[in-house]
Every structure is written in C-alpha cells, then in structure tokens.
Amino acid sequence: MFVSAAPRLFAIGLRVLHDVGEAEDVVQETWLRWAHADRSVIISPPAFLALTTTRLAINVAQSARRRRETFADPWLPETTDRSVTPETAAERHEAVDTAIRLLLERLTPAERAVYLLRIAFDYPYRRISEILHLTESHARQLVRRARDRLAAERRHAVSTTAHRRLVRTFLAAAQAGDLTELEEMLAADVAR
C-alpha cells in the first residue's frame, strides 16, 4: 500500500515545502507513522497517508528553523516537471479536498478563515484583522486554537455544498492569485 502511494505523498510534500530533500524526509516520517499505526482502525489508508504527509509537511514549513532561514536566490526546485498531467491535477485536487474537509470538520468559521489566510496565503495578522473585523490579538489566538483543534480527533458533520464551495473558491484563489472572492466568503462565514 505505502509503496504505491509514495509518489503521491512526495508530490504533496514537495508542493507544501518546495524542497526535494525535506519532501523526502516527510515521506520517510509518514512511512514510520504508517508502520506503527493500528491499521485496524484506519478506514481509508490513502486518506490516512495523504493527511499524515500534509500535516507533517505543514509542521516542517512552520518550524522555527524554517522561519529563520532566508535565501539569497529565488527558490528553484531541484526537479520539477512544469507540465501538469491529469494525474497530477487530480492529486492536487484530492489533497486540497481532503485538507478543506478537515478544516470544515474541526474548525469554527472564524478559526478556519484566519487559519487559511495566515497559513495557506501567509497574510499578516493586521490584514486578517481588517478583512474579518477582528483584533490582531484575536486573530493570533484563533490560529493557535485552530492548530490545537486540527491536532484533536473531534469532528462534526460537514455540508457537502459548503465543502465543494470552499474547495472551489480556495483552488481558484490559489491558481489565479486573486483572493478577493475567498476573503469575502470567509468574512461572510465569520459574520454569521
């Protein structure tokens, strides 16, 4: 199971980290977690592996060591294929779909909005507070809570319509670089 999933897991790690070596390290750590996991309780092994890889890659990206590093040259991947195959596009969509479902299942609208803007798009807290009509300190607190909730096991039901809408809007923002629609949608969800 793991061997067949490894290329997909590497692609997830590379997309998050933009570094071949770190992506390989994340895949190795995922394998260790898979080897020690109680597989009798895992409902979907591919989802478990993708989610584990995504979480580990996000943790590496957020680590203090990475935040202190600065690069003199713009990032150039060691090995990337610029052509997007249908398989790659499907894997990307599946990874985003899984991540968005997790955010919907575990986070409140305010936590989700702040987390997406801060973590996925690297918005400064000041800008987040302007968009969502929060104080900067409240936005920081919501990111901390979101991280705690994502690590927890509690989940609640997710509307399929809300899930599809957020995936579609997130992907459009990530691909086009125009986050206006995503900002408006997240702000409206927080205001409810």
Side-chain angles (χ1 to χ4, degrees):
M1 172 67 214
F2 184 86
V3 173
S4 63
R8 178 171 165 250
L9 303 178
F10 176 77
I12 292 169
L14 187 60
R15 278 193 301 276
V16 173
L17 297 168
H18 305 291
D19 183 273
V20 172
E22 288 186 340
E24 290 172 345
D25 291 345
V26 165
V27 172
Q28 288 296 324
E29 181 63 27
T30 301
W31 181 84
L32 290 173
R33 304 258 174 122
W34 174 250
H36 293 97
D38 179 6
R39 295 190 194 146
S40 66
V41 297
I42 297 174
I43 297 169
S44 172
F48 172 86
L49 292 170
L51 185 58
T52 301
T53 302
T54 303
R55 285 182 179 169
L56 289 170
I58 289 171
N59 288 346
V60 169
Q62 293 174 345
S63 73
R65 179 181 53 81
R66 293 251 331 173
R67 284 194 300 268
R68 286 192 304 268
E69 289 179 357
T70 57
F71 299 96
D73 295 327
W75 170 76
L76 294 173
E78 293 175 27
T79 56
T80 54
D81 182 4
R82 298 272 181 214
S83 63
V84 178
T85 65
E87 180 180 290
T88 303
E91 287 173 356
R92 287 180 186 167
H93 187 274
E94 183 180 342
V96 169
D97 188 77
T98 302
I100 295 292
R101 177 167 296 283
L102 180 69
L103 295 178
L104 287 165
E105 288 174 342
R106 295 192 179 174
L107 303 181
T108 67
E111 291 165 344
R112 184 171 52 248
V114 173
Y115 190 83
L116 277 174
L117 294 174
R118 179 68 183 167
I119 304 304
F121 295 103
D122 201 28
Y123 271 48
Y125 285 107
R126 175 182 282 165
R127 179 71 181 124
I128 294 170
S129 66
E130 292 167 359
I131 293 167
L132 302 177
H133 307 289
L134 305 168
T135 64
E136 286 184 51
S137 61
H138 190 198
R140 287 177 195 278
Q141 184 180 32
L142 287 170
V143 168
R144 192 185 82 253
R145 280 189 204 158
R147 285 184 177 135
D148 291 345
R149 286 185 189 234
L150 287 171
E153 292 298 319
R154 275 197 238 149
R155 296 177 183 217
H156 53 79
V158 173
S159 157
T160 304
T161 305
H163 177 242
R164 285 187 193 140
R165 181 174 155 243
L166 184 53
V167 168
R168 185 173 43 252
T169 307
F170 179 86
L171 286 172
Q175 291 167 353
D178 181 6
L179 280 71
T180 306
E181 185 180 350
L182 179 64
E183 290 173 2
E184 291 170 356
M185 185 183 85
L186 294 172
D189 287 348
V190 170
R192 287 187 202 158

